[in-house]
Amino acid sequence: MKKKIIGALLSVAMVTSALVGCGSAAAPAAEAPAAEAPAETAEEAPAAEAEAPAEAPAAGGKVGVSMPTKDLQRWNQDGANMEAQLKEAGYEVDLQYASNDVPTQVSQIENMISSGAKVLVIAPIEGDSLGTVLQQAKEAGVAVIAYDRLIMNSDAVTYYATFDNKLVGTKQGQYIEEKLDLKNQAGPFNLEIFTGDPGDNNANFFYSGAMEVLQPYIDEGKLVVKSGQVEFDKVATPGWATEAAQSRMDGIISANYADGTKLDAVLCSNDFTALGAINSLKANYTGEWPIVTGQDCDKPNVKLMIEGKQSMSIFKDTRDLAAQTVKMVDSIMKGGEAPVNDTESYDNGVITVPSYLCEPVFADKDSYKKLLIDSGYYTEDDLK
């Protein structure tokens, strides 16, 4: 029995020590008692009790992981990374995908609470749609980590684990600034803007980070948005849907660029909106190809980068975010406080949520091999 306890503790220690990238700057959590040892298994029990289950429950307890959908590549990767690392750390994992349906997500979370989950990791479909079920979690003493998307209007959110979402937008804006040499060139250059779902709080951060860089050039006249669509509510894309972005870009090109006017840059907050813009450009635009930004390094978009149709995509290594989240879960399960590096930025409308922010980087045609292939995130065959 002692060997099994030592093995479980060593497994936790190995995962914790392996957390790198976004987790490397975190201060260690306070010392706390080790998790309770598991009950004896049939292998160790007397012969008369050999009918006990051959596999004992995980030593660390149960963790519920709620992902919004399987329809986007990145959520599949997030869920798989989280499940694998939590299991390696000794936890039982209940991983559920909600098919982008809020009632389904609520029901799944209720089941996680009633089945004994001690910590919930939740990437919400809509940031402000979980208030009632999270109150149940709070009353049951279940800690809640909002994952990548902030859960809004609830005091039941314990922590937030994400990438620095404002920095995502800042890097996209800076990329356009650098490639058009806006600090030195007189312009004017034509720009169009596509951000994400208005119900996703992250979309506001992406937009504000980019516009802090680009708005001064718009005010100065170096950047011109010929469609006139600049405010967040005018450039938001419901559901981050490729089709919605493509339809809007069709209208923008028809009204403003069909006469041969050059479009210099398209700010897209993620790869789904970028794909919509690119599809429309391929079908309707005959001028010199513009700069197009994106985020998530989805396989189709990396192929478009290689092809020269998408200029860059923000790379958020979900392995790092999963690793940091496992570290936070481990601290909570042991009775300590999770490591955070931001206690001011993320106000959910009720409380300011202590957060850990991982740093994103961008990939382009010159850097994607090092970031995506050499790191093992993709293989060469994935991008053929």
PDB file of all heavy atoms in Angstrom, residues 68-88:
ATOM      1  N   PRO A  68     -17.013  23.846 -24.237  1.00  0.00           N
ATOM      2  CA  PRO A  68     -18.228  24.302 -24.923  1.00  0.00           C
ATOM      3  C   PRO A  68     -18.670  23.451 -26.102  1.00  0.00           C
ATOM      4  O   PRO A  68     -19.867  23.284 -26.331  1.00  0.00           O
ATOM      5  CB  PRO A  68     -17.869  25.720 -25.381  1.00  0.00           C
ATOM      6  CG  PRO A  68     -16.388  25.775 -25.385  1.00  0.00           C
ATOM      7  CD  PRO A  68     -15.922  24.830 -24.334  1.00  0.00           C
ATOM      8  N   THR A  69     -17.715  22.910 -26.867  1.00  0.00           N
ATOM      9  CA  THR A  69     -18.101  22.210 -28.090  1.00  0.00           C
ATOM     10  C   THR A  69     -16.946  21.374 -28.600  1.00  0.00           C
ATOM     11  O   THR A  69     -15.782  21.636 -28.294  1.00  0.00           O
ATOM     12  CB  THR A  69     -18.527  23.213 -29.188  1.00  0.00           C
ATOM     13  OG1 THR A  69     -18.903  22.502 -30.372  1.00  0.00           O
ATOM     14  CG2 THR A  69     -17.397  24.171 -29.525  1.00  0.00           C
ATOM     15  N   LYS A  70     -17.281  20.367 -29.408  1.00  0.00           N
ATOM     16  CA  LYS A  70     -16.273  19.608 -30.140  1.00  0.00           C
ATOM     17  C   LYS A  70     -16.108  20.124 -31.563  1.00  0.00           C
ATOM     18  O   LYS A  70     -15.291  19.609 -32.318  1.00  0.00           O
ATOM     19  CB  LYS A  70     -16.656  18.120 -30.184  1.00  0.00           C
ATOM     20  CG  LYS A  70     -16.286  17.344 -28.939  1.00  0.00           C
ATOM     21  CD  LYS A  70     -16.471  15.855 -29.177  1.00  0.00           C
ATOM     22  CE  LYS A  70     -15.841  15.044 -28.048  1.00  0.00           C
ATOM     23  NZ  LYS A  70     -15.946  13.595 -28.287  1.00  0.00           N
ATOM     24  N   ASP A  71     -16.902  21.121 -31.936  1.00  0.00           N
ATOM     25  CA  ASP A  71     -16.904  21.595 -33.321  1.00  0.00           C
ATOM     26  C   ASP A  71     -15.666  22.402 -33.680  1.00  0.00           C
ATOM     27  O   ASP A  71     -15.352  22.555 -34.864  1.00  0.00           O
ATOM     28  CB  ASP A  71     -18.150  22.448 -33.586  1.00  0.00           C
ATOM     29  CG  ASP A  71     -19.422  21.619 -33.546  1.00  0.00           C
ATOM     30  OD1 ASP A  71     -19.318  20.384 -33.678  1.00  0.00           O
ATOM     31  OD2 ASP A  71     -20.506  22.200 -33.375  1.00  0.00           O
ATOM     32  N   LEU A  72     -14.977  22.961 -32.680  1.00  0.00           N
ATOM     33  CA  LEU A  72     -13.757  23.723 -32.930  1.00  0.00           C
ATOM     34  C   LEU A  72     -12.551  22.890 -32.512  1.00  0.00           C
ATOM     35  O   LEU A  72     -12.524  22.304 -31.426  1.00  0.00           O
ATOM     36  CB  LEU A  72     -13.756  25.045 -32.154  1.00  0.00           C
ATOM     37  CG  LEU A  72     -14.811  26.082 -32.550  1.00  0.00           C
ATOM     38  CD1 LEU A  72     -14.620  27.352 -31.736  1.00  0.00           C
ATOM     39  CD2 LEU A  72     -14.737  26.400 -34.029  1.00  0.00           C
ATOM     40  N   GLN A  73     -11.562  22.859 -33.379  1.00  0.00           N
ATOM     41  CA  GLN A  73     -10.355  22.073 -33.136  1.00  0.00           C
ATOM     42  C   GLN A  73      -9.733  22.379 -31.782  1.00  0.00           C
ATOM     43  O   GLN A  73      -9.327  21.475 -31.057  1.00  0.00           O
ATOM     44  CB  GLN A  73      -9.349  22.364 -34.250  1.00  0.00           C
ATOM     45  CG  GLN A  73      -7.990  21.724 -34.076  1.00  0.00           C
ATOM     46  CD  GLN A  73      -7.001  22.227 -35.108  1.00  0.00           C
ATOM     47  OE1 GLN A  73      -7.326  22.364 -36.271  1.00  0.00           O
ATOM     48  NE2 GLN A  73      -5.792  22.517 -34.671  1.00  0.00           N
ATOM     49  N   ARG A  74      -9.681  23.650 -31.426  1.00  0.00           N
ATOM     50  CA  ARG A  74      -8.949  24.022 -30.216  1.00  0.00           C
ATOM     51  C   ARG A  74      -9.597  23.467 -28.956  1.00  0.00           C
ATOM     52  O   ARG A  74      -8.904  23.079 -28.012  1.00  0.00           O
ATOM     53  CB  ARG A  74      -8.813  25.532 -30.105  1.00  0.00           C
ATOM     54  CG  ARG A  74     -10.096  26.289 -29.891  1.00  0.00           C
ATOM     55  CD  ARG A  74      -9.957  27.391 -28.883  1.00  0.00           C
ATOM     56  NE  ARG A  74      -9.239  26.987 -27.698  1.00  0.00           N
ATOM     57  CZ  ARG A  74      -8.919  27.841 -26.750  1.00  0.00           C
ATOM     58  NH1 ARG A  74      -9.244  29.101 -26.868  1.00  0.00           N
ATOM     59  NH2 ARG A  74      -8.289  27.446 -25.670  1.00  0.00           N
ATOM     60  N   TRP A  75     -10.949  23.363 -28.894  1.00  0.00           N
ATOM     61  CA  TRP A  75     -11.576  22.845 -27.681  1.00  0.00           C
ATOM     62  C   TRP A  75     -11.333  21.347 -27.545  1.00  0.00           C
ATOM     63  O   TRP A  75     -11.220  20.839 -26.415  1.00  0.00           O
ATOM     64  CB  TRP A  75     -13.064  23.162 -27.670  1.00  0.00           C
ATOM     65  CG  TRP A  75     -13.357  24.633 -27.608  1.00  0.00           C
ATOM     66  CD1 TRP A  75     -14.051  25.376 -28.514  1.00  0.00           C
ATOM     67  CD2 TRP A  75     -12.932  25.550 -26.583  1.00  0.00           C
ATOM     68  NE1 TRP A  75     -14.089  26.702 -28.119  1.00  0.00           N
ATOM     69  CE2 TRP A  75     -13.413  26.831 -26.947  1.00  0.00           C
ATOM     70  CE3 TRP A  75     -12.198  25.412 -25.408  1.00  0.00           C
ATOM     71  CZ2 TRP A  75     -13.190  27.969 -26.161  1.00  0.00           C
ATOM     72  CZ3 TRP A  75     -11.966  26.544 -24.627  1.00  0.00           C
ATOM     73  CH2 TRP A  75     -12.459  27.787 -25.002  1.00  0.00           C
ATOM     74  N   ASN A  76     -11.259  20.634 -28.653  1.00  0.00           N
ATOM     75  CA  ASN A  76     -10.878  19.217 -28.583  1.00  0.00           C
ATOM     76  C   ASN A  76      -9.480  19.059 -28.008  1.00  0.00           C
ATOM     77  O   ASN A  76      -9.223  18.182 -27.176  1.00  0.00           O
ATOM     78  CB  ASN A  76     -10.943  18.583 -29.972  1.00  0.00           C
ATOM     79  CG  ASN A  76     -12.356  18.426 -30.481  1.00  0.00           C
ATOM     80  OD1 ASN A  76     -13.237  18.024 -29.753  1.00  0.00           O
ATOM     81  ND2 ASN A  76     -12.574  18.749 -31.748  1.00  0.00           N
ATOM     82  N   GLN A  77      -8.566  19.918 -28.462  1.00  0.00           N
ATOM     83  CA  GLN A  77      -7.201  19.851 -27.951  1.00  0.00           C
ATOM     84  C   GLN A  77      -7.150  20.231 -26.472  1.00  0.00           C
ATOM     85  O   GLN A  77      -6.467  19.575 -25.679  1.00  0.00           O
ATOM     86  CB  GLN A  77      -6.307  20.783 -28.772  1.00  0.00           C
ATOM     87  CG  GLN A  77      -6.074  20.304 -30.193  1.00  0.00           C
ATOM     88  CD  GLN A  77      -5.347  21.320 -31.050  1.00  0.00           C
ATOM     89  OE1 GLN A  77      -5.535  22.528 -30.886  1.00  0.00           O
ATOM     90  NE2 GLN A  77      -4.541  20.854 -31.968  1.00  0.00           N
ATOM     91  N   ASP A  78      -7.876  21.282 -26.098  1.00  0.00           N
ATOM     92  CA  ASP A  78      -7.901  21.696 -24.693  1.00  0.00           C
ATOM     93  C   ASP A  78      -8.413  20.564 -23.811  1.00  0.00           C
ATOM     94  O   ASP A  78      -7.817  20.251 -22.772  1.00  0.00           O
ATOM     95  CB  ASP A  78      -8.799  22.921 -24.520  1.00  0.00           C
ATOM     96  CG  ASP A  78      -8.140  24.219 -24.945  1.00  0.00           C
ATOM     97  OD1 ASP A  78      -7.910  24.402 -26.147  1.00  0.00           O
ATOM     98  OD2 ASP A  78      -7.860  25.051 -24.079  1.00  0.00           O
ATOM     99  N   GLY A  79      -9.544  19.983 -24.207  1.00  0.00           N
ATOM    100  CA  GLY A  79     -10.121  18.922 -23.399  1.00  0.00           C
ATOM    101  C   GLY A  79      -9.209  17.723 -23.274  1.00  0.00           C
ATOM    102  O   GLY A  79      -9.019  17.178 -22.177  1.00  0.00           O
ATOM    103  N   ALA A  80      -8.619  17.309 -24.387  1.00  0.00           N
ATOM    104  CA  ALA A  80      -7.732  16.144 -24.362  1.00  0.00           C
ATOM    105  C   ALA A  80      -6.488  16.408 -23.520  1.00  0.00           C
ATOM    106  O   ALA A  80      -6.061  15.541 -22.732  1.00  0.00           O
ATOM    107  CB  ALA A  80      -7.337  15.774 -25.792  1.00  0.00           C
ATOM    108  N   ASN A  81      -5.895  17.588 -23.673  1.00  0.00           N
ATOM    109  CA  ASN A  81      -4.710  17.925 -22.881  1.00  0.00           C
ATOM    110  C   ASN A  81      -5.021  17.959 -21.393  1.00  0.00           C
ATOM    111  O   ASN A  81      -4.269  17.442 -20.561  1.00  0.00           O
ATOM    112  CB  ASN A  81      -4.151  19.283 -23.317  1.00  0.00           C
ATOM    113  CG  ASN A  81      -3.487  19.235 -24.668  1.00  0.00           C
ATOM    114  OD1 ASN A  81      -2.956  18.206 -25.076  1.00  0.00           O
ATOM    115  ND2 ASN A  81      -3.517  20.348 -25.388  1.00  0.00           N
ATOM    116  N   MET A  82      -6.144  18.572 -21.049  1.00  0.00           N
ATOM    117  CA  MET A  82      -6.535  18.674 -19.647  1.00  0.00           C
ATOM    118  C   MET A  82      -6.787  17.300 -19.043  1.00  0.00           C
ATOM    119  O   MET A  82      -6.307  16.984 -17.953  1.00  0.00           O
ATOM    120  CB  MET A  82      -7.816  19.503 -19.553  1.00  0.00           C
ATOM    121  CG  MET A  82      -8.206  19.823 -18.128  1.00  0.00           C
ATOM    122  SD  MET A  82      -7.631  21.416 -17.655  1.00  0.00           S
ATOM    123  CE  MET A  82      -8.389  22.424 -18.885  1.00  0.00           C
ATOM    124  N   GLU A  83      -7.542  16.483 -19.761  1.00  0.00           N
ATOM    125  CA  GLU A  83      -7.875  15.159 -19.238  1.00  0.00           C
ATOM    126  C   GLU A  83      -6.613  14.331 -19.015  1.00  0.00           C
ATOM    127  O   GLU A  83      -6.450  13.700 -17.956  1.00  0.00           O
ATOM    128  CB  GLU A  83      -8.810  14.446 -20.211  1.00  0.00           C
ATOM    129  CG  GLU A  83      -9.258  13.071 -19.725  1.00  0.00           C
ATOM    130  CD  GLU A  83     -10.242  12.424 -20.681  1.00  0.00           C
ATOM    131  OE1 GLU A  83     -10.059  12.567 -21.920  1.00  0.00           O
ATOM    132  OE2 GLU A  83     -11.179  11.763 -20.200  1.00  0.00           O
ATOM    133  N   ALA A  84      -5.714  14.341 -19.995  1.00  0.00           N
ATOM    134  CA  ALA A  84      -4.498  13.533 -19.878  1.00  0.00           C
ATOM    135  C   ALA A  84      -3.638  13.982 -18.700  1.00  0.00           C
ATOM    136  O   ALA A  84      -3.150  13.153 -17.917  1.00  0.00           O
ATOM    137  CB  ALA A  84      -3.694  13.618 -21.178  1.00  0.00           C
ATOM    138  N   GLN A  85      -3.464  15.294 -18.540  1.00  0.00           N
ATOM    139  CA  GLN A  85      -2.589  15.785 -17.479  1.00  0.00           C
ATOM    140  C   GLN A  85      -3.218  15.622 -16.098  1.00  0.00           C
ATOM    141  O   GLN A  85      -2.513  15.329 -15.117  1.00  0.00           O
ATOM    142  CB  GLN A  85      -2.228  17.240 -17.752  1.00  0.00           C
ATOM    143  CG  GLN A  85      -1.368  17.405 -18.997  1.00  0.00           C
ATOM    144  CD  GLN A  85      -0.830  18.812 -19.167  1.00  0.00           C
ATOM    145  OE1 GLN A  85      -0.458  19.478 -18.211  1.00  0.00           O
ATOM    146  NE2 GLN A  85      -0.791  19.269 -20.405  1.00  0.00           N
ATOM    147  N   LEU A  86      -4.533  15.790 -16.000  1.00  0.00           N
ATOM    148  CA  LEU A  86      -5.192  15.579 -14.716  1.00  0.00           C
ATOM    149  C   LEU A  86      -5.130  14.109 -14.301  1.00  0.00           C
ATOM    150  O   LEU A  86      -4.880  13.790 -13.133  1.00  0.00           O
ATOM    151  CB  LEU A  86      -6.644  16.047 -14.782  1.00  0.00           C
ATOM    152  CG  LEU A  86      -6.869  17.562 -14.728  1.00  0.00           C
ATOM    153  CD1 LEU A  86      -8.302  17.905 -15.094  1.00  0.00           C
ATOM    154  CD2 LEU A  86      -6.528  18.122 -13.347  1.00  0.00           C
ATOM    155  N   LYS A  87      -5.334  13.212 -15.249  1.00  0.00           N
ATOM    156  CA  LYS A  87      -5.254  11.787 -14.935  1.00  0.00           C
ATOM    157  C   LYS A  87      -3.837  11.401 -14.528  1.00  0.00           C
ATOM    158  O   LYS A  87      -3.633  10.617 -13.593  1.00  0.00           O
ATOM    159  CB  LYS A  87      -5.713  10.957 -16.132  1.00  0.00           C
ATOM    160  CG  LYS A  87      -7.226  10.946 -16.315  1.00  0.00           C
ATOM    161  CD  LYS A  87      -7.643  10.044 -17.476  1.00  0.00           C
ATOM    162  CE  LYS A  87      -9.160   9.935 -17.566  1.00  0.00           C
ATOM    163  NZ  LYS A  87      -9.590   9.070 -18.696  1.00  0.00           N
ATOM    164  N   GLU A  88      -2.859  11.968 -15.220  1.00  0.00           N
ATOM    165  CA  GLU A  88      -1.470  11.677 -14.861  1.00  0.00           C
ATOM    166  C   GLU A  88      -1.144  12.167 -13.463  1.00  0.00           C
ATOM    167  O   GLU A  88      -0.339  11.581 -12.751  1.00  0.00           O
ATOM    168  CB  GLU A  88      -0.525  12.322 -15.880  1.00  0.00           C
ATOM    169  CG  GLU A  88       0.927  11.920 -15.705  1.00  0.00           C
ATOM    170  CD  GLU A  88       1.837  12.512 -16.762  1.00  0.00           C
ATOM    171  OE1 GLU A  88       1.331  13.173 -17.686  1.00  0.00           O
ATOM    172  OE2 GLU A  88       3.065  12.317 -16.646  1.00  0.00           O
TER     173      GLU A  88
END
